[in-house]
Amino acid sequence: MPKRVVITGMGVISPLGNDVTTFWNALIQGKNGIKTIPEWVTAGYPVTIAGQADPVTIDDLVDSKDARRMDPYCVYALHAANQAITQSGFTQDNPDPHRVGVIVGSGIGGLHVFEEQHAALLLKGHRRVSPFFIPMLIPDIAAGYIAIKWGFHGPNFSVSSACATANHAIGVGLKTIRYGDADVMIVGAADATLTPMALNGFANMKALSTRNDDPAHASRPFDLNRDGFVIGEGAGIFVLESLEHAQKRGATILAELAGFGQSADAHHITTPAPDGIGAIIAIQQALADAKMTTTDIDYINAHGTSTAFNDKTETKAIKQVFGDHARKLAISSTKSMTGHLLGASGGVELIAVVKTIQTGMIPPTINYETPDPECDLDYTVNKAVSRPVQAAISNSFGFGGHNAVLAAKAFLE
């Protein structure tokens, strides 16, 4: 019988706060985390708004020289991992470090350092390229640093599947414990892509909202007048454990991670399949893996990007999978408040799912003003709702047609 897997620690970096309590309180209050980036205005960029996280430091975790040799995405990952590990109550001797693994991904990796070092090459010559450039750049280095910091010798690697990265990392961590390859897995993702190249790459492909004069209302998932997503940054990291291991060491269990589904659209590099087939398969697989029926699910944290294609396609997929129950579901897109954190989004959103299960408070989809006939479900518009939630799913869909869905539920003995 497959091992049950539970969540015992969570950590977050986000535009709404850099700890779980601050982040969750902001979500429930429907706060906006989108703001104008002054240097982008000065540069004359077509988009000048983003979900920017407050700066964090990890000088208390690693040597200051090492900290300076990290791209911001890696700093975010270590800071969030420290939160999660601290909450989990690890001690020096428990758990066995040989049985602890790390799968922490990034949708893009060290883009800040890439742009800085490329500029140094062009302006100052090849000798000015840092010998630390490659380890600062690669998307697996956050997982490596976490293992180095805490001495974890278990499975260790990165996942990169665009905006589905965090859910894939978490799902593979779930399976790693079930397979018996580890007792504990540190999982999640981080991205820090508020850079000129990333911003203008997304802007020039017309993926971003251009509501520069109204950042508070720019991200509006499922609203008829949505005009693109708002780019953001952050990290969401978890401690997963086998139930047996967590109970043996007396850990506090936050929720049970019950299922994982994954698929490909096999349709287009950026546009979701119009019939929602990839999302449908991933949701169905997550439910089957969790041994749940559609009526077991009370809440969906939607991918909900605020783009024309995603929101209507995701709505179509939910209707197809859940049938009549789709209209009884509470749904919300927390991207309406955080923006789209790219590879990190699924990790941050699973934190919202766990807190929803714990508290019975469903975060809202803010900025919903004009209904879209093609998006006609209950998106928990504008205000949080109190409602018991025993089980939920979190959807993440990425460029390339990558789909990953997680199912979580309240822990019951």
Side-chain angles (χ1 to χ4, degrees):
M1 183 175 180
K3 294 183 178 180
R4 294 173 67 185
V5 176
V6 295
I7 297 169
T8 59
M10 305 190 295
V12 68
I13 302 293
S14 83
L16 291 175
N18 294 337
D19 64 83
V20 171
T21 298
T22 302
F23 166 71
W24 175 245
N25 288 339
L27 282 187
I28 291 304
Q29 294 167 27
K31 287 188 174 180
N32 165 61
I34 312 304
K35 58 188 176 184
T36 299
I37 310 299
E39 55 265 38
W40 292 356
V41 177
T42 302
Y45 294 157
V47 173
T48 58
I49 56 176
Q52 187 175 46
D54 288 336
V56 295
T57 179
I58 54 170
D59 288 346
D60 58 334
L61 299 178
V62 299
D63 183 271
S64 59
K65 288 184 179 179
D66 286 334
R68 290 196 298 272
R69 293 166 181 166
M70 291 183 193
D71 186 88
Y73 98 89
C74 190
V75 172
Y76 292 169
L78 260 76
H79 197 287
N82 185 58
Q83 294 175 44
I85 291 168
T86 299
Q87 182 181 31
S88 74
F90 281 5
T91 65
Q92 185 174 355
D93 301 318
N94 189 4
D96 177 357
H98 296 281
R99 298 287 298 167
V100 183
V102 184
I103 304 175
V104 171
S106 180
I108 297 182
L111 198 55
H112 280 270
V113 72
F114 179 86
E115 294 189 28
E116 290 168 358
Q117 294 299 308
H118 185 250
L121 173 66
L122 295 181
L123 296 175
K124 300 178 181 180
H126 69 278
R127 294 183 183 278
R128 297 303 297 270
V129 175
S130 171
F132 297 99
F133 167 58
I134 297 301
M136 292 165 72
L137 167 72
I138 51 181
D140 66 303
I141 205 68
Y145 265 119
I146 291 168
I148 292 166
K149 163 62 184 173
W150 282 279
F152 299 145
H153 293 280
N156 187 288
F157 56 94
S158 176
V159 172
S160 186
S161 54
C163 306
T165 295
N167 276 15
H168 272 122
I170 296 164
V172 174
L174 166 72
K175 289 182 177 290
T176 301
I177 294 173
R178 283 183 179 169
Y179 292 157
D181 292 338
D183 297 321
V184 180
M185 292 296 296
I186 315 302
V187 295
D191 257 324
T193 55
L194 302 190
T195 72
M197 288 290 288
L199 183 279
N200 289 294
F202 281 119
N204 290 346
M205 68 185 294
K206 309 300 182 185
L208 300 182
S209 171
T210 56
R211 283 188 168 85
N212 296 321
D213 59 343
D214 190 15
H217 301 93
S219 184
R220 47 180 59 234
F222 304 107
D223 185 88
L224 179 66
N225 297 316
R226 62 193 183 274
D227 71 326
F229 73 84
V230 177
I231 191 170
E233 62 179 357
I237 306 292
F238 297 82
V239 175
L240 305 183
E241 301 187 51
S242 70
L243 174 59
E244 179 184 22
H245 186 275
Q247 290 179 325
K248 186 175 181 179
R249 72 179 188 89
T252 298
I253 294 171
L254 307 178
E256 182 170 353
L257 185 62
F260 170 51
Q262 56 186 325
S263 70
D265 281 359
H267 171 69
H268 188 270
I269 58 171
T270 59
T271 304
D275 58 0
I277 185 60
I280 290 168
I281 293 170
I283 294 170
Q284 289 175 333
Q285 285 192 355
L287 294 176
D289 189 44
K291 296 180 173 56
M292 294 180 183
T293 65
T294 54
T295 55
D296 290 327
I297 302 300
D298 304 304
Y299 169 62
I300 297 177
N301 188 293
H303 189 52
T305 57
S306 187
T307 58
F309 288 108
N310 173 87
D311 295 2
K312 66 180 182 182
T313 302
E314 185 172 13
T315 298
K316 185 181 294 186
I318 291 169
K319 289 179 179 178
Q320 179 65 34
V321 173
F322 289 91
D324 292 340
H325 188 61
R327 301 198 177 277
K328 301 176 184 177
L329 288 166
I331 303 168
S332 63
S333 172
T334 47
K335 289 184 179 73
S336 61
M337 294 172 275
T338 65
H340 192 343
L341 312 190
L342 304 183
S345 60
V348 172
E349 289 157 15
L350 184 61
I351 291 173
V353 166
V354 172
K355 295 300 292 183
T356 294
I357 291 170
Q358 289 181 326
T359 66
M361 291 298 297
I362 297 168
T365 303
I366 68 169
N367 301 328
Y368 186 94
E369 298 173 349
T370 307
D372 180 346
E374 294 186 275
C375 300
D376 57 350
L377 297 176
D378 178 2
Y379 304 111
T380 318
V381 300
N382 298 321
K383 290 185 179 181
V385 171
S386 177
R387 174 175 168 179
V389 173
Q390 292 298 310
I393 64 170
S394 181
N395 295 337
S396 287
F397 313 131
F399 281 0
H402 311 299
N403 307 298
V405 176
L406 299 170
K409 64 182 181 179
F411 171 69
L412 299 173
E413 295 281 354

